Amino acid sequence: MDWLHWIIYVVIILAFVLTLVMSFILIERRVVGRFQLRLGPNRVGPQGILQPVADAVKILLKEDIIPSKVDRVVHLLAPIVTFAPAVLIFAVIPFQQAGNGLFFDLKSTASMVDLDVGVLFIFAISSISVVGLVMAGWASNNKYALLGAMRTIAQMVSYEIPMVLAVLGIVLIAGSLSLADIVDKQNIPFILLQPLGFFIYFLGATAEMNRSPFDLLEAESEIVAGVNIEYSGMKFAMFFLGEYAYALAVSTITSVLFLGGAKFPWGLLPQSFIWLLVKILLVFFVILWIRSTLPRVRVDQLMGFAWKFLLPLSLINLFLVAAEGMLPSGFTWPIVALNVTLAVALVVIWANRFYRVGGAKVA
Amino acid sequence: MPDNRISLGQGILKGLALTIKHFISRPIITVQYPEERLVTSRRIRGCDLVWDSERCTACCTCAKSCPQGNIHIETKVRPDNTREAVVFEIDHGRSMFCGLCVESCPFDAIHMGRSYERATYNRDSLVIPKEKLVAQGDRQPSGYFRPQFEETLPPQSLLIYGGKSSEVKTPENPPPQSPATAAPVSEKKEPAEREKVGVK
Amino acid sequence: MALKTEPIVVNMGPQHPSTHGVFRMRVTFDGEIIKDLEPVMGYLHRGVEKLAESRTYTQFIPLTDRLDYLASMTNNLAYVLAVEKLGNIEVPPRAQYLRVIMAEMMRISSHLMAVGFMINDMGAFYTPLLYMYREREKLLDLFEMVCGQRLTYNYMRIGGLSHDVPPEFLPALKKFVSEMPGFIDEYDQLLKENEILLARTKGVGILSKELAINSSASGPVLRGSGVKWDIRKADPYLVYDKLNFEIPTGTVGDIYDRYWVRMVEMRQSVRILEQAIEQLPAGEIRTALPHLVRPPCGEAYGHIEAPKGELGFYIISDTGVAPYRCHIRAPSLINLTALKDMVVGLMLADAIITLGSIDIVLGEVDR
Ligand code: SF4
Ligand code: SF4
């Protein structure tokens, strides 16, 4: 019985991750194309939907080059170490809650394991991928790759702290580390109760997955794709898939933690995994929107942003959540209003202060 | 060097507003080549040179005016004391399509072509002898320095009028005449159809 | 415990996405801080100056297209002005106005590319660049309408122009001129106040006024450093003295100032275009000249304000059909000489955008 459950979920998760990653690649190219007044890939298959397949076939047929000066074992291991954690994250994602659903009812939560420490698991696993990137950067024996790896370490380590602190706010409200419980508690999406937390988490996550404006790790115009520079063929594909799988993971976690996962807002309609999917796509669209608008920040500004802007704000946020937790229950809507106001005020004040003291400048 | 301007992230928000506006309401501006083709300029200096064997007097002015020296002409005197080009070949691979030869020909015997698709697999096939240099197929003369052709060609499609031909919105232009010497390079799709491809 | 560190030397270029061609920089880094920078040029050297000596005066015009290939019209213009100065050749007024129109259209198009690619170097994923391409494309359509090609125009001739403009040109240009300010507003909305752009460009890559003058910089690079020097005003050629426009200057000389100068210059170019269209006289467009121009013995230096700076052709004639010697003062090359002083002490990412803000074209740097 247990084995059957696990096998079914391994298949479900792999199918979910691979199909969504494939469609993310296409969606990204089409959406960014539309932002830039062009169509994007539309040749292979109707509306270009087979483009990811064509890309995959192409990349599989590419020669697999291992440069002579690389550290072979580490070089070969790095893409796997980067890709695997991104998939592992999905082990704890609740795709649908127990109880009545839109299409079918479930006896228990639809997730591979409903860990009591799900949030902790996610953050522990997702920080492994940085090891893979550093391995790639070091083993490639290339200066650009090394610079990219140096940037990666600094970036990932710094942004994890405000991110985790922001999520702690959610944990405080929900009173549980289990993702299923967190979704259960979201009668109104936590983005309304925790606007500041969402803001910090989202920016931190954007940096964690190396998305513009924090895509310093790849920085094609500066360090020529950074750690990927010596990779080709299937190994490059692993990095590429890993990047998108991580984007998918971030979109999913954001949907689960802040947007109410499989629940329809305010429970107007029965819950279903469809809503989760819609939310994931929505979050990904916002990521693409930001990507197609903003230039990249510089590496020292990136650090300044994490330590001088996000970290203090996330501490304040945590304090506020704790203070609000002492209030008697039943004040949901006043608290939402208060929190939104506070979030806007704090961001504005801090942004201005940050800008004036030259937080974004070289010391 | 922080200045005293209040900065609250409004610049970023403005930028985001602009891009989403483009996303929602601006038309796609790219052209789906090769299904859609724009009409090129009437004066296009395409990657062909078209030669008119009847009009050419083998005076070699074109060869002299070519900066690259890639027009090769050998002449013969006919019994009636006129000249005839025995060999007339142009190395299109070396030509920079500057049009100086067309400009200098006193007898309107060499024209720029209208075609822009001339990829080949080897360089030798770019050296075009006189039999193949004459107007045939899609090798048609353009209106560059040849007003007599220019009038007959369809008006250019301009992005400034949304990629459509310029006659669409400028009534002061003369109505387009049917192309006489030159068949249009290919059919042009209706703009409405282009829009349809553009919207997902 | 102090760790032992050592600087690393990175060869950026000639194959690097942000060196605008085949420019190569040998950069010494300490971490990401630049300690030293040595520009290496010459990967695109084609000997254009020498080629001029074996071409007739007219035959050299298409070769000038290949110098700054993003602003071919102005290259044509500078060259024919030099030859006309050498041969004392009069140019009909209509041709003069059309030359101004072409030069200003070219300036807009070149500045769009310069700004777009600078933002691209900054890491914006092509969006500002593609919005700018849209307007550039409209201009290229017009160039194509006039002279048959979109990149290598070969439009100016000694003593005038090769063709008159077709009748549908002016309505289209008028439409462009009326729309363009709106589009420049859009670019400003996207970029001007963007906090990331401000943080990246303000106070970065400073070229001081003294150094700018001493290194003989010109164009937006010089004006960004606060020197009010524009050949269109300082030594008016064509009909620029009959047109009203202002010269924007920066204050600090940083990347933002250079960007800002370019944006304002585009607005001024639109202004010039409006006036030139209004004043455009009818008449001839080309002085009748013999097929082979043979200027009298002597030398002449013709210079114009090209989009990238002062573009000059220095030509010596020995009454032959070809120049005895032709020297090209290429603004890209000379603006590049101060690069090292601008970037030492900054970071890797700054060096890239400083290079982008100078706006070089390798066809002109290496010639
Ligand atoms: S093409 Fe014209 S210029 Fe050339 S030889 Fe014939 S007539 Fe003379
Ligand atoms: S187009 Fe120019 S380069 Fe080509 S053959 Fe004619 S003159 Fe020579």
Side-chain angles (χ1 to χ4, degrees):
Chain A
M1 171 57 207
D2 250 10
W3 284 106
L4 192 62
H5 170 91
W6 282 2
I7 287 169
I8 289 174
Y9 272 101
V10 164
V11 172
I12 288 180
I13 286 174
L14 277 183
F16 176 80
V17 172
L18 288 181
T19 44
L20 267 188
V21 160
M22 286 292 203
S23 39
F24 266 28
I25 295 175
L26 182 69
I27 290 171
E28 160 142 29
R29 294 175 66 184
R30 292 294 300 232
V31 167
V32 171
R34 185 68 190 86
F35 269 116
Q36 299 173 345
L37 307 181
R38 55 192 178 84
L39 282 178
N42 60 348
R43 293 281 143 168
V44 197
Q47 292 292 310
I49 52 168
L50 294 181
Q51 184 68 40
V53 180
D55 286 347
V57 170
K58 184 202 95 172
I59 218 158
L60 284 176
L61 296 178
K62 285 263 168 178
E63 186 189 350
D64 188 23
I65 300 167
I66 302 177
S68 59
K69 291 276 171 61
V70 299
D71 187 335
R72 286 184 72 98
V73 179
V74 185
H75 181 82
L76 292 177
L77 218 52
I80 301 165
V81 176
T82 313
F83 181 66
V87 183
L88 270 180
I89 290 175
F90 290 90
V92 294
I93 298 290
F95 293 98
Q96 185 168 333
Q97 299 299 105
N100 291 344
L102 186 59
F103 298 120
F104 43 82
D105 306 339
L106 288 176
K107 278 207 274 322
S108 63
T109 312
S111 65
M112 186 159 165
V113 275
D114 184 12
L115 268 189
D116 286 342
V117 287
V119 175
L120 194 64
F121 175 82
I122 286 177
F123 287 107
I125 289 293
S126 67
S127 44
I128 291 179
S129 68
V130 64
V131 178
L133 292 169
V134 173
M135 281 162 69
W138 181 257
S140 288
N141 199 357
N142 179 308
K143 287 164 188 166
Y144 289 124
L146 188 62
L147 282 172
M150 283 173 4
R151 289 178 169 192
T152 315
I153 306 171
Q155 181 172 344
M156 300 253 177
V157 171
S158 325
Y159 276 84
E160 212 131 85
I161 297 164
M163 236 171 95
V164 173
L165 286 179
V167 171
L168 271 189
I170 296 286
V171 174
L172 271 184
I173 296 182
S176 164
L177 278 167
S178 149
L179 289 175
D181 282 358
I182 290 179
V183 175
D184 257 347
K185 294 267 166 54
Q186 296 193 50
N187 290 324
I188 56 171
F190 279 164
I191 183 174
L192 293 176
L193 282 172
Q194 276 285 293
L196 188 58
F198 174 75
F199 180 75
I200 297 164
Y201 173 80
F202 193 70
L203 287 180
T206 319
E208 276 270 299
M209 63 181 166
N210 302 305
R211 281 284 167 158
S212 170
F214 306 111
D215 54 344
L216 285 122
L217 156 65
E218 313 224 319
E220 187 231 341
S221 62
E222 293 159 19
I223 52 171
V224 208
V227 295
N228 296 342
I229 192 167
E230 294 290 0
Y231 283 89
S232 59
M234 199 50 214
K235 300 199 299 291
F236 174 75
M238 289 288 263
F239 274 119
F240 195 68
L241 288 180
E243 188 188 316
Y244 278 88
Y246 206 77
L248 174 63
V250 164
S251 309
T252 315
I253 299 168
T254 313
S255 314
V256 167
L257 290 183
F258 289 94
L259 301 179
K263 280 188 163 182
F264 198 82
W266 290 281
L268 292 181
L269 285 173
Q271 49 132 342
S272 163
F273 64 95
I274 298 285
W275 309 137
L276 181 65
L277 209 58
V278 170
K279 285 166 186 170
I280 290 174
L281 290 177
L282 210 66
V283 175
F284 190 60
F285 178 79
V286 175
I287 294 173
L288 294 183
W289 180 17
I290 292 174
R291 177 176 184 210
S292 52
T293 309
L294 297 181
R296 183 187 302 130
V297 298
R298 205 171 53 206
V299 63
D300 54 325
Q301 293 165 350
L302 181 88
M303 292 292 112
F305 189 69
W307 293 104
K308 298 182 197 161
F309 185 85
L310 290 185
L311 184 64
L313 275 185
S314 60
L315 286 172
I316 295 175
N317 180 50
L318 200 57
F319 172 76
L320 284 177
V321 178
E324 280 162 9
M326 310 237 249
L327 292 176
S329 59
F331 285 110
T332 319
W333 284 108
I335 286 184
V336 167
L338 176 75
N339 272 348
V340 172
T341 332
L342 271 178
V344 172
L346 275 173
V347 169
V348 162
I349 293 169
W350 215 273
N352 199 25
R353 207 189 120 63
F354 180 64
Y355 190 81
R356 286 208 182 186
V357 298
K361 297 291 168 192
V362 196
Chain B
M1 189 217 51
D3 59 34
N4 289 324
R5 211 173 53 84
I6 310 282
S7 172
L8 318 167
Q10 78 274 43
I12 289 176
L13 294 183
K14 276 186 190 174
L16 287 171
L18 185 81
T19 42
I20 198 77
K21 192 172 113 197
H22 276 76
F23 184 85
I24 292 167
S25 65
R26 292 292 168 85
I28 298 277
I29 53 168
T30 47
V31 176
Q32 298 307 302
Y33 183 84
E35 288 91 32
E36 293 178 358
R37 286 162 195 249
L38 298 175
V39 185
T40 50
S41 157
R42 290 167 166 169
R43 291 176 180 175
I44 182 164
R45 307 207 304 260
C47 50
D48 267 338
L49 286 151
V50 182
W51 182 61
D52 189 336
S53 59
E54 320 268 89
R55 301 185 68 107
C56 179
T57 58
C59 68
C60 298
T61 317
C62 53
K64 280 179 221 153
S65 66
C66 174
Q68 307 288 74
N70 54 22
I71 303 183
H72 176 85
I73 308 179
E74 283 169 26
T75 62
K76 181 180 88 183
V77 182
R78 293 206 196 95
D80 60 352
N81 223 7
T82 57
R83 277 172 186 276
E84 166 190 20
V86 187
V87 176
F88 193 108
E89 47 178 46
I90 300 180
D91 186 349
H92 283 58
R94 285 182 62 194
S95 175
M96 53 184 174
F97 303 103
C98 62
L100 287 179
C101 49
V102 177
E103 189 174 337
S104 67
C105 173
F107 301 97
D108 286 8
I110 185 167
H111 322 290
M112 299 307 298
R114 302 188 65 212
S115 142
Y116 46 85
E117 291 164 323
R118 274 288 170 273
T120 60
Y121 281 105
N122 67 52
R123 275 163 186 272
D124 295 348
S125 59
L126 289 170
V127 182
I128 301 187
K130 71 176 196 181
E131 297 77 38
K132 293 199 200 139
L133 263 181
V134 294
Q136 53 186 340
D138 61 355
R139 169 184 278 277
Q140 293 297 340
S142 87
Y144 186 76
F145 263 94
R146 299 287 178 262
Q148 67 271 32
F149 297 141
E150 190 175 342
E151 284 161 10
T152 63
L153 296 178
Q156 183 189 354
S157 47
L158 296 173
L159 182 60
I160 202 161
Y161 300 120
K164 296 165 235 169
S165 298
S166 55
E167 101 269 19
V168 176
K169 279 190 190 162
T170 47
E172 61 260 49
N173 288 342
Q177 287 135 350
S178 65
T181 45
V185 179
S186 75
E187 78 287 4
K188 144 174 95 77
K189 276 202 183 176
E190 280 309 306
E193 216 169 314
R194 259 195 75 191
E195 232 87 292
K196 211 168 61 200
V197 184
V199 180
K200 278 198 299 174
Chain C
M1 185 189 78
L3 284 173
K4 185 171 159 291
T5 61
E6 56 184 60
I8 53 172
V9 179
V10 178
N11 260 310
M12 300 189 77
Q15 277 99 23
H16 185 281
S18 302
T19 51
H20 298 250
V22 284
F23 181 59
R24 173 175 157 211
M25 304 185 275
R26 268 172 56 89
V27 195
T28 312
F29 288 111
D30 175 10
E32 286 212 18
I33 311 279
I34 295 168
K35 288 288 169 217
D36 191 17
L37 181 144
E38 182 193 339
V40 185
M41 298 167 213
Y43 290 91
L44 204 59
H45 179 70
R46 294 154 300 173
V48 174
E49 291 177 3
K50 192 71 188 166
L51 284 174
E53 294 167 21
S54 57
R55 302 278 187 281
T56 67
Y57 283 95
T58 311
Q59 281 177 350
F60 186 57
I61 298 174
L63 291 184
T64 61
D65 287 337
R66 275 88 182 156
L67 292 172
D68 175 358
Y69 41 77
L70 298 179
S72 312
M73 275 296 178
T74 43
N75 298 343
N76 286 181
L77 178 59
Y79 172 68
V80 295
L81 280 181
V83 178
E84 281 158 10
K85 200 166 169 185
L86 190 61
N88 276 324
I89 298 166
E90 278 295 312
V91 179
R94 183 175 171 84
Q96 300 212 7
Y97 273 97
L98 282 176
R99 281 180 177 184
V100 168
I101 290 177
M102 294 301 158
E104 294 308 317
M105 280 163 68
M106 201 74 252
R107 189 181 318 278
I108 296 176
S109 145
S110 170
H111 280 355
L112 285 174
M113 289 287 278
V115 174
F117 272 110
M118 191 187 93
I119 309 290
N120 222 28
D121 289 348
M122 216 173 277
F125 186 71
Y126 292 98
T127 311
L129 179 69
L130 275 153
Y131 292 175
M132 290 176 181
Y133 257 49
R134 179 185 50 191
E135 270 60 66
R136 177 172 181 264
E137 197 64 25
K138 294 173 183 168
L139 285 172
L140 293 192
D141 274 352
L142 292 180
F143 284 130
E144 184 190 342
M145 180 196 281
V146 172
C147 62
Q149 259 178 20
R150 304 166 69 82
L151 195 68
T152 50
Y153 305 120
N154 187 20
Y155 182 55
M156 312 277 173
R157 290 288 182 276
I158 297 158
L161 303 169
S162 67
H163 304 64
D164 204 343
V165 292
E168 60 268 33
F169 174 78
L170 282 179
L173 181 61
K174 273 181 196 151
K175 184 156 190 288
F176 177 81
V177 165
S178 63
E179 281 174 356
M180 188 61 196
F183 285 118
I184 302 180
D185 287 342
E186 273 188 2
Y187 308 146
D188 277 351
Q189 186 190 345
L190 183 59
L191 302 171
K192 193 173 162 195
E193 289 177 33
N194 187 314
E195 279 77 11
I196 298 179
L197 183 123
L198 290 176
R200 287 293 302 276
T201 55
K202 284 245 176 195
V204 173
I206 295 180
L207 178 67
S208 68
K209 202 167 172 175
E210 294 71 40
L211 185 61
I213 295 173
N214 288 346
S215 65
S216 178
S218 55
V221 177
L222 179 69
R223 289 193 285 276
S225 299
V227 185
K228 212 175 174 105
W229 173 260
D230 188 316
I231 305 199
R232 290 175 293 174
K233 289 275 192 203
D235 179 14
Y237 51 96
L238 299 176
V239 288
Y240 276 110
D241 42 358
K242 295 184 197 149
L243 302 166
N244 274 326
F245 59 98
E246 275 141 36
I247 303 170
T249 51
T251 46
V252 190
D254 55 12
I255 297 175
Y256 186 80
D257 277 350
R258 271 167 242 147
Y259 152 79
W260 181 82
V261 162
R262 289 201 177 95
M263 295 308 273
V264 181
E265 272 184 17
M266 276 193 253
R267 289 183 193 274
Q268 295 297 329
S269 292
V270 173
R271 232 178 105 190
I272 297 177
L273 280 176
E274 273 170 8
Q275 301 170 37
I277 294 171
E278 216 166 86
Q279 300 175 11
L280 181 68
E284 281 294 300
I285 46 110
R286 193 164 174 181
T287 322
L289 285 177
H291 188 67
L292 290 175
V293 185
R294 288 173 190 268
C297 209
E299 50 190 60
Y301 177 65
H303 60 168
I304 64 161
E305 185 68 32
K308 299 188 171 52
E310 175 183 345
L311 173 64
F313 279 78
Y314 177 70
I315 297 173
I316 304 180
S317 160
D318 58 353
T319 72
V321 294
Y324 174 75
R325 171 83 172 94
C326 170
H327 174 72
I328 303 161
R329 184 210 187 272
S332 294
L333 171 68
I334 292 169
N335 290 348
L336 201 53
T337 49
L339 179 66
K340 182 182 165 184
D341 299 282
M342 284 147 93
V343 301
V344 166
L346 300 180
M347 305 189 87
L348 163 62
D350 296 330
I352 298 288
I353 54 172
T354 310
L355 182 67
S357 75
I358 297 176
D359 185 17
I360 56 167
V361 163
L362 263 290
E364 192 176 62
V365 172
D366 293 340
R367 299 200 289 291

